[in-house]
Every structure is written in C-alpha cells, then in structure tokens.
Amino acid sequence: MNLRIEELINSNKQWAAQFEANNPGIFDKLVKQQNPEYLWIGCSDSRVPANTIVGLQPGEVFVHRNIANLVNHSDLNVLSVIEFAVKVLKVKDIILCGHYGCGGVQAALERSEHGIVDNWLRVIKDTYRANMKHFHEVESEKEELDLLCEINVVEQVRNICHTSIVQNAWLAGDKLSVHGVIYCIGDGLLKDLEVTTSSIDEIESIYQIQTK
Ligand code: CO
C-alpha cells in the first residue's frame, strides 16, 4: 500500500472519529496529560510498530526507535528519552525490543559499505567480536544473524542499565525494570530473552555508580 498524503489525512480523520467513538472523551483526557507505564526502545523497521504489536493505545507507551535498536552512551537522543521517561514520566518498565532478521544487524555483519549508517552500526561489530565464542556452532547465515539480533538486545539492555539515569533511579529506591525482548516478524510474536534487570547489584561492578 502506498498512500499519498491526502489519503493519509483522510485515513487519519476516520481513525480519530473511530477512536473517539470507541473511547468517549479520550482526546480530552490525552490533552491533559500522558501517563505511560512503559518506555519502549525498538528498531525503526516499519514491520515492528511498538503500540500495535503489544496492543497499547495512544498515551500508554513512550517510544524511541532507531536503526537496530541501539542504546549508545554518546547518543543524546536516546539518553534524553530515557531520562524523561524515568525522571518525569516515572515509567516502571523499560522494554528494549529487537527483532529477528534486522536489516541493521545484517548490515553490520557484512563487509560492504552502506553509507553513514555504517558508523551507527559499528558497535554491533564490536558486540559480535566480544561474543565470538557463541558463534562457533551456528550452521547458517540466518542462524548467525538471528543469534546476533538476540545478543544485540542483551547488550542494549546492559547499556540502559549502565546509564547514570537508571542507576540513580535504583539508588533513589524507584521500582524500575529493564527487559529485553525480541520480535519475530514471521509470526508476530514477542519472546522474552529473560535478561530483566531490576537493581544495581545485578550489573557488573565496573559500571556501578558508587554511593557516597
Ligand atoms: Co531492525
């Protein structure tokens, strides 16, 4: 489907009317505040729309997406999103969502040049190198890609936990969990990678902020 902008605006009119009909007063309520319980960090891939795949409505999830769902410590964009979500919105759960067959992860596995994005994706090569031992048993390129997609999620969960934002929230006694999940485009299902982290004691000591 390739809708022109006029068609999108018409489609939006229908959506807004339907949404209000199903949820009377919803727009008045949303105008006053947003009160999402979740922060979602996922891939920009058009097949992995945050609200849709977990059945959440406008106002229910704060979202950040970028190519290959990366959380880099020098990325002011993602750090600002995490800070706002944790300190102001007081979300209780941060969900890092990757997906199998991610084009960004695939590009990082290749040797060819793709453009500016190669600089963005280079940390995935670092992750591959640091986890080389896990790749000895893979039997196909697809398996290699999917394993790296999973490991990349785990690595980004760590990166979120290593931020001073999340650690300071924990030190202040806030209830905050960071989860790693991966989405399968082929069946629409999410898998929990079971790396949920909810306290400062669960992260490696080299990254821990010391209490004074
Ligand atoms: Co992707």
Side-chain angles (χ1 to χ4, degrees):
M1 188 159 47
N2 186 10
L3 293 176
R4 292 164 52 83
I5 188 65
E6 294 87 349
E7 292 174 45
L8 287 183
I9 286 169
N10 282 333
S11 164
N12 162 259
K13 273 199 195 101
Q14 289 167 22
W15 169 82
Q18 191 64 49
F19 189 50
E20 177 67 28
N22 292 342
N23 309 272
I26 186 69
F27 288 115
D28 284 342
K29 189 176 148 222
L30 288 172
V31 138
K32 291 186 189 102
Q33 63 161 347
Q34 63 165 332
N35 192 20
E37 289 184 20
Y38 311 98
L39 165 60
W40 175 281
I41 300 175
C43 184
S44 297
D45 193 302
S46 64
R47 299 164 296 178
V48 194
N51 286 66
T52 310
I53 64 179
V54 285
L56 291 176
Q57 299 294 348
E60 294 183 326
V61 58
F62 199 62
V63 176
H64 175 85
R65 289 166 69 184
N66 62 45
I67 295 176
N69 42 269
L70 296 175
V71 177
N72 294 328
H73 293 311
S74 56
D75 177 10
L76 284 177
N77 190 345
V78 73
L79 293 177
S80 302
V81 167
I82 295 172
E83 183 180 65
F84 187 74
V86 170
K87 287 175 79 170
V88 181
L89 298 174
K90 302 276 183 197
V91 298
K92 301 279 183 291
D93 297 280
I94 300 177
I95 298 148
L96 188 296
C97 178
H99 67 101
Y100 292 116
C102 180
V105 176
Q106 171 71 56
L109 272 172
E110 293 167 2
R111 276 71 172 169
S112 50
E113 278 192 65
H114 306 88
I116 300 292
V117 75
D118 291 328
N119 300 284
W120 177 250
L121 297 173
R122 189 143 72 227
V123 288
I124 303 177
K125 288 185 190 285
D126 300 338
T127 298
Y128 181 86
R129 180 170 49 79
N131 291 278
M132 211 76 110
K133 62 177 188 294
H134 298 298
F135 288 90
H136 292 321
E137 285 168 24
V138 297
E139 285 169 2
S140 67
E141 287 185 2
K142 183 185 176 300
E143 238 179 82
E144 182 181 48
L145 171 59
D146 286 347
L147 180 59
L148 187 54
C149 288
E150 289 186 355
I151 292 174
N152 182 48
V153 168
V154 176
E155 196 66 17
Q156 305 319 310
V157 167
R158 287 202 184 101
N159 286 343
I160 296 168
C161 295
H162 296 165
T163 63
S164 54
I165 307 158
V166 168
Q167 291 196 49
N168 280 321
W170 283 333
L171 289 170
D174 293 355
K175 288 230 176 312
L176 176 64
S177 294
V178 184
H179 314 271
V181 300
I182 190 157
Y183 179 74
C184 177
I185 290 172
D187 62 14
L189 296 176
L190 281 175
K191 179 166 111 183
D192 186 354
L193 290 178
E194 296 176 6
V195 289
T196 296
T197 310
S198 308
S199 76
I200 204 166
D201 307 322
E202 295 170 65
I203 64 178
E204 298 92 334
S205 63
I206 185 74
Y207 297 103
Q208 286 180 9
I209 293 175
Q210 295 291 315
T211 43
K212 291 169 195 100

